[in-house]
Amino acid sequence: MGKLTIMEQFERADKGGYAVPHFNFSDIWDLEAIISAAEEMQSPVIVASNMKCASMHSPAVIAGMEKAMAARASVPVYLHLDHSTTVELCKEAVDAGYDTVMIDGSKLSLEENIACTKAVAEYAHKTGTFVEGEIGKIKGNTEEAQYTNGDFLVQVPDAVELVEKSGVDFLAVGVGTAHGFYQGKPEINFDRLREVNEALSLPLVLHGGTGIPEEDVRRAIANGINKMNVGTIIYHTNVVTIYKTLQERGDGIHTLDLMPESQKAIKEVVKGWIKVCMSEGKA
Ligand code: 13P
């Protein structure tokens, strides 16, 4: 059997009561660690470059590196462009061979969000690339306090309209989660998540994984989440381990001895998240 498409993976996850984990990477070292952890756990995995990473290295270079690693992996690995706010970068990623791209029009008006998501979907679908959109807002480090009184929350009719008019394949929803470390306990609006899930028949994505308690992730999965995004804890583990290793072993250490230490730490984090997503053994 050939590699399943990511949409087939989401369908399996939906039926099986787990989520496909998504991890953000920024270089060859953390990418390799994420894939290696997924292999140990026999989990399908989505590896994602955010807009900054894709712009700095270029989608073509990233895709070349990821394709070589995915080809030799013992689990299905999918390359995703995370949170692109431009149609152009999404198109570049599609051309470079990404499996999926995210166009984030969540900060635009609904009409503008529909228009840019539709433009990306039309382009991506020509080559069998799938598209993630966003509706409602994912909070963030600096914005956590900014969205108050539920104004980050996805509105069900807006989500329905975006899906119907844009041709998007899967959807990130603003239900209270935030990127970065949480200042307090995340307050996820599970009622709204359930309502969106009931109104739509496409896979839903939960962003802002770092710091969400395990029981809340499981509850979100039970209420329609098929893709779970984790980023900050990967970068954080990377940097903290580099710092610690430099302190222990001195700054004369070679990169080729330094980075494997970081990889070991990242692998443990990824394996922990695969357990939380319940995707272990689902490759
Ligand atoms: P965190 O960085 O909070 O884990 O969120 C990751 C994410 O949602 C990437 O899209």
Side-chain angles (χ1 to χ4, degrees):
M1 191 174 68
K3 183 175 161 184
L4 297 179
T5 68
I6 194 65
M7 297 307 286
E8 289 167 332
Q9 289 287 358
F10 290 146
E11 208 181 310
R12 281 180 60 176
D14 198 58
K15 288 199 182 108
Y18 61 95
V20 181
H22 150 140
F23 299 101
N24 287 91
F25 66 90
S26 39
D27 60 31
I28 191 166
W29 300 102
D30 54 359
L31 174 61
E32 197 176 52
I34 293 163
I35 295 175
S36 172
E39 287 183 294
E40 272 181 36
M41 302 292 280
Q42 282 299 297
S43 168
V45 71
I46 297 166
V47 290
S49 61
N50 67 17
M51 210 181 163
K52 190 170 181 182
C53 176
S55 304
M56 281 174 115
H57 298 305
S58 90
V61 167
I62 288 177
M65 176 173 76
E66 188 273 346
K67 295 285 160 216
M69 286 193 201
R72 68 175 192 195
S74 63
V75 295
V77 183
Y78 301 88
L79 179 61
H80 179 70
L81 174 68
D82 199 25
H83 283 290
S84 173
T85 51
T86 76
V87 174
E88 290 67 34
L89 187 63
C90 288
K91 287 185 176 176
E92 248 190 88
V94 169
D95 293 346
Y98 276 56
D99 298 289
T100 56
V101 294
M102 176 184 192
I103 175 77
D104 178 359
S106 63
K107 295 196 175 61
L108 306 172
S109 69
L110 179 62
E111 289 67 35
E112 289 166 331
N113 192 355
I114 291 169
C116 68
T117 308
K118 185 166 188 261
V120 172
E122 280 173 356
Y123 191 83
H125 290 163
K126 284 186 207 148
T127 51
T129 309
F130 296 104
V131 177
E132 176 176 340
E134 179 172 323
I135 191 87
K137 293 176 182 69
I138 315 301
K139 298 194 275 182
N141 284 341
T142 50
E143 298 156 348
E144 209 162 346
Q146 198 175 307
Y147 299 127
T148 52
N149 301 323
D151 54 359
F152 55 85
L153 261 189
V154 53
Q155 302 298 320
V156 178
D158 291 356
V160 171
E161 195 175 336
L162 176 74
V163 170
E164 279 175 0
K165 293 189 177 166
S166 70
V168 71
D169 301 294
F170 50 107
L171 195 60
V173 286
V175 288
T177 60
H179 291 128
F181 289 110
Y182 290 90
Q183 282 151 24
K185 186 182 181 298
E187 287 183 16
I188 302 176
N189 190 322
F190 289 102
D191 288 338
R192 185 58 57 89
L193 176 59
R194 194 169 44 249
E195 285 160 22
V196 188
N197 189 42
E198 279 165 10
L200 300 173
S201 55
L202 86 182
L204 299 180
V205 184
L206 194 65
H207 282 242
T210 302
I212 302 181
E214 184 171 334
E215 63 273 17
D216 282 0
V217 175
R218 298 259 167 99
R219 196 169 159 200
I221 292 171
N223 283 290
I225 292 299
N226 301 131
K227 174 175 180 269
M228 182 69 234
N229 284 21
V230 180
T232 300
I233 194 62
I234 305 292
Y235 317 135
H236 182 76
T237 303
N238 201 1
V239 171
V240 166
T241 311
I242 289 170
Y243 182 71
K244 202 169 134 263
T245 310
L246 285 173
Q247 282 188 320
E248 283 167 9
R249 297 180 46 188
D251 60 10
I253 188 173
H254 195 292
T255 326
L256 297 174
D257 297 316
L258 173 66
M259 296 313 290
E261 294 303 316
S262 177
Q263 286 188 312
K264 276 187 225 157
I266 291 172
K267 273 179 75 172
E268 290 312 306
V269 169
V270 170
K271 287 199 287 188
W273 265 101
I274 287 173
K275 284 195 186 132
V276 172
C277 290
M278 299 172 288
S279 62
E280 183 178 1
K282 308 292 187 189

